[in-house]
């Protein structure tokens, strides 16, 4: 028994080691890391090189649920409330109506292809109806891509809110098919509102309570992230026991905790990022062990699975996106991109275990087709997401991540920190006078550390590379501050003048004055409009950084936004105009 335990530890640790080592390879190939984790699990399984026998569905279901909860909690911790301005309504529409349309369309096609009753086909549609947009962001981050906020916010919020709908539809259809009478009544609709309502209430209330505890209890720093994790899983479990949506609750817990004043938020985020990676690796390895590759290659499985996959990617998801985003007037290229980002991940595979747990007919077919769909989605969609985003012009200059500062929380002062930022060569603060440094109001300069010397914060002090600037600030100022001190390797096509244009204009500048200066003809109805009015009208009051409006042969580019307000507009001149001006 002892030897078997050590063998289990050895196999688990070795597979984890191999998976982590392959992350570097996945980035070089542009391959989804989740795909590699699945393949490692399949190679270690009964048909692979490892020959490991694993068929414990209940264990896989338990591990999958815990892992998904951890991943959703991390997703909530990394969602900024500012993204709600342009992404909340379209994302919630996609997460509810979009999942229903996708599931219904795919379910009808699956029933026809497999020769099943419609309800059985709809169950398969519900199982594969949700989108794992979190996997999308892992791919984009690995490729060094940052999307326009309108697309990124919509996908980010959708990823945290569409799983509860898919889970509800799956459980409702499983209950319907196993009850024997096949009838549908209004109780199902009541169950839906109870699950969503209780999930939202427990998530928001539990997140607020957890945040209050975090700000009042004194613990060693390393225990604060563990407190968030254990508190989140406690509320997740209670919500599920009370017949609510635990997945919605734990996502909202992370969202509430991260967007309210809280001590040690940086430590919490960093550790949870690692726990989320560990959860993804463990979950996909286990799911890879569970499947038999030989079963996937059976023509009775592969042919209908291919038909279902193509219907999902090229018809059902685009149809759902078009209908759901129609009221929000998304640009066509962004609708096309979001429709292609229907990447499938762990949730469909976990949901495909429900037929096993209930002993349903076709349980093997549900699982094998779902696994085939996930693999094809990761291969076809996962490999093309980054190139597609670039070709559609949805990429914007990257923002530095808050990973390089030293912070000390001040006891008894919620959300207030002592911060030390290293000045990177080539950053905006490099060779800058302290008095001219554009820091947010309320941030106090305390000093400069240069080598072994501590220098006072004199207004005419010139900052140098590798200096440390010591500040006192609220923790929510960190994202604004880090951009001053970091220097990112930016591709040539995203550099300031190449992307935003040669000049920066104030949004209140009149179009008439601008066009006269560059000899651009203008219609009478546009003459008295300001740049801000033109851009807001073109993007229906919700522009984002990187949005463009052409006026004659010049291009206006949204350069800086703050709290939904346009602050700076880039002016990009055509090549012929640049030569003439020079």
């Amino acid at each position: 028994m002892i030897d078997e335990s050590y063998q289990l530890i050895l196999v688990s640790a070795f597979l984890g080691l191999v998976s982590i080592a392959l992350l570097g390879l996945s980035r070089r190939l542009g391959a989804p890391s989740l795909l590699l984790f699945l393949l490692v699990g399949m190679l270690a399984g009964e048909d692979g090189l490892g020959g490991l026998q694993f068929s414990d569905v209940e264990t896989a279901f338990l591990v999958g649920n815990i892992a998904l909860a951890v991943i959703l909690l991390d997703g909530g911790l990394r969602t900024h409330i500012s993204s709600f301005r342009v992404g909340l309504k379209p994302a919630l529409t996609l997460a509810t109506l979009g999942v229903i349309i996708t599931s219904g369309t795919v379910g009808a096609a699956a029933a026809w292809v497999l020769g099943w009753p419609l309800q059985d086909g709809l169950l398969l549609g519900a199982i594969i109806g949700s989108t794992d947009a979190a996997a999308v962001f892992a791919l984009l981050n690995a490729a060094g891509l940052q999307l326009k906020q309108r697309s990124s916010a919509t996908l980010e919020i959708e990823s945290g809110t569409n799983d509860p709908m898919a889970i509800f539809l799956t459980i409702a259809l499983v209950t319907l098919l196993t009850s024997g009478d096949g009838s549908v009544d209004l109780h199902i609709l009541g169950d839906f509102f109870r699950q969503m309502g209780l999930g939202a209430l427990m998530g928001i209330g539990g997140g607020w309570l957890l945040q209050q505890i975090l700000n009042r209890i004194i613990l060693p720093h390393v225990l604060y992230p563990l407190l968030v994790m254990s508190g989140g899983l406690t509320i997740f479990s209670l919500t599920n026991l009370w017949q609510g949506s635990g997945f919605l609750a734990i996502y909202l817990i992370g969202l509430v905790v991260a967007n309210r004043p809280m001590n040690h938020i940086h430590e919490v985020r960093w550790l949870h990022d690692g726990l989320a990676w560990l959860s993804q690796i463990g979950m996909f390895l286990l799911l890879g062990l569970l499947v038999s590759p030989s079963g996937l290659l059976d023509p009775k499985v592969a042919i209908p699975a291919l038909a279902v996959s193509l219907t999902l990617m090229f018809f059902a998801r685009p149809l759902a996106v078009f209908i759901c985003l129609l009221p929000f007037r998304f640009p066509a290229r962004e609708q096309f991109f979001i429709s292609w980002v229907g990447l499938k991940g762990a949730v469909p595979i976990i949901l495909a275990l429900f037929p096993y747990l209930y002993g349903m007919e076709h349980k093997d077919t549900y699982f094998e087709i779902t696994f085939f769909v996930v693999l094809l989605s990761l291969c076809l969609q996962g490999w093309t997401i980054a190139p597609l985003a670039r070709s559609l012009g949805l990429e914007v200059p990257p923002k530095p991540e808050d990973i390089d500062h030293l912070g000390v929380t001040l006891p008894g002062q919620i959300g207030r920190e002592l911060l030390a930022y290293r000045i990177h060569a080539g950053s905006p603060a490099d060779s800058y006078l302290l008095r001219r440094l554009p820091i947010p109001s309320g941030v106090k300069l305390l000093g400069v550390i240069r080598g072994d010397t501590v220098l006072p914060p004199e207004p005419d002090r010139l900052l140098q590379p590798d200096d440390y600037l010591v500040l006192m600030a609220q923790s929510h100022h960190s994202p604004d501050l880090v951009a001053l001190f970091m220097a990112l390797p930016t591709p040539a096509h995203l550099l300031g003048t190449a992307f935003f244009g040669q000049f920066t204009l104030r949004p209140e500048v009149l179009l008439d004055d601008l066009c006269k200066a560059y000899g651009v003809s203008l219609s009478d109805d546009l003459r008295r409009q300001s740049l801000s009015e033109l851009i807001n009208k073109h993007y229906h009051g919700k522009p984002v950084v990187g949005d463009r409006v052409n006026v004659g042969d010049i291009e206006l580019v949204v350069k800086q936004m703050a709290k939904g307000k346009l602050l700076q507009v880039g002016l990009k001149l055509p090549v012929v105009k640049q030569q003439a001006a020079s």
Side-chain angles (χ1 to χ4, degrees):
M1 181 64 182
I2 295 177
D3 288 342
E4 291 178 356
S5 300
Y6 285 127
Q7 289 175 4
L8 178 61
I9 294 172
L10 174 63
V11 170
S12 302
F14 178 73
L15 291 178
L17 181 65
V18 171
S19 301
I20 295 171
L22 287 176
L23 279 175
L25 178 62
S26 73
R27 295 190 176 188
R28 291 182 185 178
L29 299 176
S33 56
L34 306 184
L35 174 63
L36 293 182
F37 300 156
L38 276 177
L39 292 178
V40 170
M42 293 169 66
L43 286 172
E46 57 183 85
D47 286 349
L49 300 176
L52 297 177
Q53 300 286 332
F54 179 77
S55 58
D56 191 342
V57 173
E58 292 185 358
T59 298
F61 185 78
L62 174 62
V63 172
N65 272 271
I66 296 173
L68 285 174
V70 173
I71 293 167
L72 282 172
L73 178 59
D74 181 66
L77 288 169
R78 296 190 172 276
T79 301
H80 293 286
I81 202 75
S82 60
S83 65
F84 281 23
R85 180 182 71 90
V86 293
L88 180 61
K89 292 180 180 179
L92 290 181
T93 307
L94 282 171
T96 50
L97 179 61
V99 172
I100 293 173
I101 295 173
T102 302
S103 301
T105 306
V106 174
W112 180 75
V113 169
L114 293 164
W116 286 355
L118 180 60
Q119 290 179 349
D120 295 73
L122 290 176
L123 174 57
L124 180 59
I127 288 171
I128 61 177
S130 65
T131 295
D132 190 356
V136 174
F137 280 94
L139 286 172
L140 295 175
N141 290 335
L145 276 174
Q146 182 160 324
L147 295 177
K148 286 185 179 181
Q149 190 187 30
R150 184 168 37 248
S151 298
S152 63
T154 300
L155 290 168
E156 186 177 7
I157 300 170
E158 183 196 7
S159 70
T161 55
N162 70 352
D163 293 340
M165 174 59 79
I167 294 168
F168 167 77
L169 291 176
T170 300
I171 294 175
L173 285 164
V174 166
T175 304
L176 190 67
L177 288 168
T178 56
S179 63
D181 56 7
S183 61
V184 181
D185 55 34
L186 293 179
H187 288 302
I188 291 181
L189 189 61
D191 288 342
F192 170 74
F193 285 111
R194 186 189 69 249
Q195 288 188 29
M196 297 300 110
L198 185 58
L201 181 64
M202 292 289 288
I204 295 173
W208 178 85
L209 180 61
L210 196 56
Q211 183 251 351
Q212 297 297 312
I213 295 173
L214 286 163
N215 285 334
R216 284 168 170 76
I217 193 171
I218 299 177
L219 295 169
H221 286 196
V222 72
L223 293 182
Y224 287 100
L226 300 181
L227 178 61
V228 173
M229 175 65 65
S230 57
L233 290 176
T234 299
I235 296 170
F236 166 78
S237 303
L238 281 175
T239 306
N240 282 321
L241 288 173
W242 294 341
Q243 306 302 310
S245 174
F247 290 109
L248 178 60
I250 200 165
Y251 173 76
L252 291 176
I253 288 169
L255 185 69
V256 172
V257 166
N259 287 277
R260 289 180 58 84
M262 194 190 86
N263 294 329
H264 310 289
I265 184 61
H266 305 293
E267 293 95 328
V268 169
R269 282 180 175 147
W270 291 341
L271 183 58
H272 277 262
D273 196 27
L275 291 173
W277 271 108
L278 179 63
S279 298
Q280 288 192 78
I281 292 172
M283 176 173 56
F284 276 88
L285 285 175
L286 199 62
L287 294 175
L289 286 171
L290 195 61
V291 72
S292 172
S294 59
L296 299 180
L297 298 177
D298 186 342
K300 294 181 180 180
V301 174
I303 294 175
L306 181 61
V308 170
S309 300
L310 296 179
T311 301
L312 174 63
M313 287 187 281
F314 292 100
F315 182 71
R317 171 72 177 180
L319 176 65
V321 169
F322 174 78
I323 293 174
C324 292
L325 297 186
L326 189 62
F328 304 105
R329 301 177 179 178
F330 270 53
R333 63 179 60 190
E334 294 187 40
Q335 287 192 47
F336 178 74
F337 180 76
I338 293 172
S339 70
W340 185 242
V341 184
L343 199 66
K344 302 303 169 188
V347 173
I349 302 176
I350 298 297
L351 293 181
L353 298 179
F354 273 100
Y356 277 103
L357 298 175
Y358 281 82
M360 295 179 63
E361 186 182 7
H362 312 307
K363 59 181 182 296
D364 291 324
T365 306
Y366 282 120
F367 185 80
E368 289 168 344
I369 289 181
T370 299
F371 208 97
F372 188 100
V373 169
V374 171
L375 281 177
L376 189 62
S377 174
L378 289 173
C379 290
L380 184 58
Q381 293 173 301
W383 240 302
T384 57
I385 284 172
L388 181 63
R390 289 193 176 102
S391 65
L392 292 175
L394 301 183
E395 186 182 12
V396 296
K399 293 180 179 179
E401 294 185 12
D402 191 10
I403 59 174
D404 201 46
H405 85 274
L406 305 174
V408 177
T409 301
L410 297 177
Q413 299 191 39
I414 297 174
R416 187 176 292 275
E417 295 178 302
L418 288 178
L419 302 169
Y421 286 95
R422 183 164 70 92
I423 309 300
H424 289 254
S427 68
D430 183 12
S431 302
Y432 225 82
L433 294 175
L434 281 182
R435 59 182 169 83
R436 298 184 58 190
L437 200 64
I439 59 175
S441 60
V443 176
K444 295 183 179 180
L445 301 176
L446 301 181
V448 176
I449 301 175
R450 182 169 297 163
D452 296 330
T453 307
V454 179
L455 305 173
E458 297 173 351
D460 291 328
R461 176 81 61 199
L462 191 68
L463 294 172
Q464 299 178 8
D466 295 326
D467 283 351
Y468 275 90
L469 182 62
V470 183
L471 313 160
M472 184 168 67
Q474 293 288 338
S475 57
H476 66 268
H477 282 312
S478 295
D480 301 320
L481 290 169
V482 69
L484 294 174
F485 310 111
M486 293 290 290
L488 290 178
T490 304
H493 68 284
L494 294 177
L495 290 173
T497 56
F499 188 84
F500 292 112
Q502 297 77 16
F503 304 101
T504 299
L505 305 174
R506 298 190 307 274
E508 60 268 21
V509 170
L510 293 178
L511 274 170
D512 192 30
D513 295 337
L514 178 65
C515 291
K516 284 179 180 178
Y518 291 98
V520 177
S521 59
L522 200 64
S523 60
D524 292 336
D525 60 323
L526 295 177
R527 290 187 182 278
R528 305 311 303 169
Q529 284 191 15
S530 66
L531 303 185
S532 177
E533 290 170 337
L534 174 70
I535 293 172
N536 275 290
K537 182 178 180 181
H538 191 82
Y539 288 99
H540 312 289
K542 294 184 178 179
V544 297
V545 172
D547 279 342
R548 300 169 183 269
V549 178
N550 290 313
V551 181
D553 54 359
I554 64 176
E555 190 173 47
L556 303 173
V557 187
V558 177
K559 187 173 184 179
Q560 186 176 359
M561 300 282 302
K563 297 181 179 179
K565 184 178 180 181
L566 183 60
L567 298 183
Q568 292 182 348
V569 179
L571 174 63
K572 197 169 186 180
L573 302 174
V575 175
V576 64
K577 290 285 185 180
Q578 296 175 39
Q579 294 173 347
S582 60

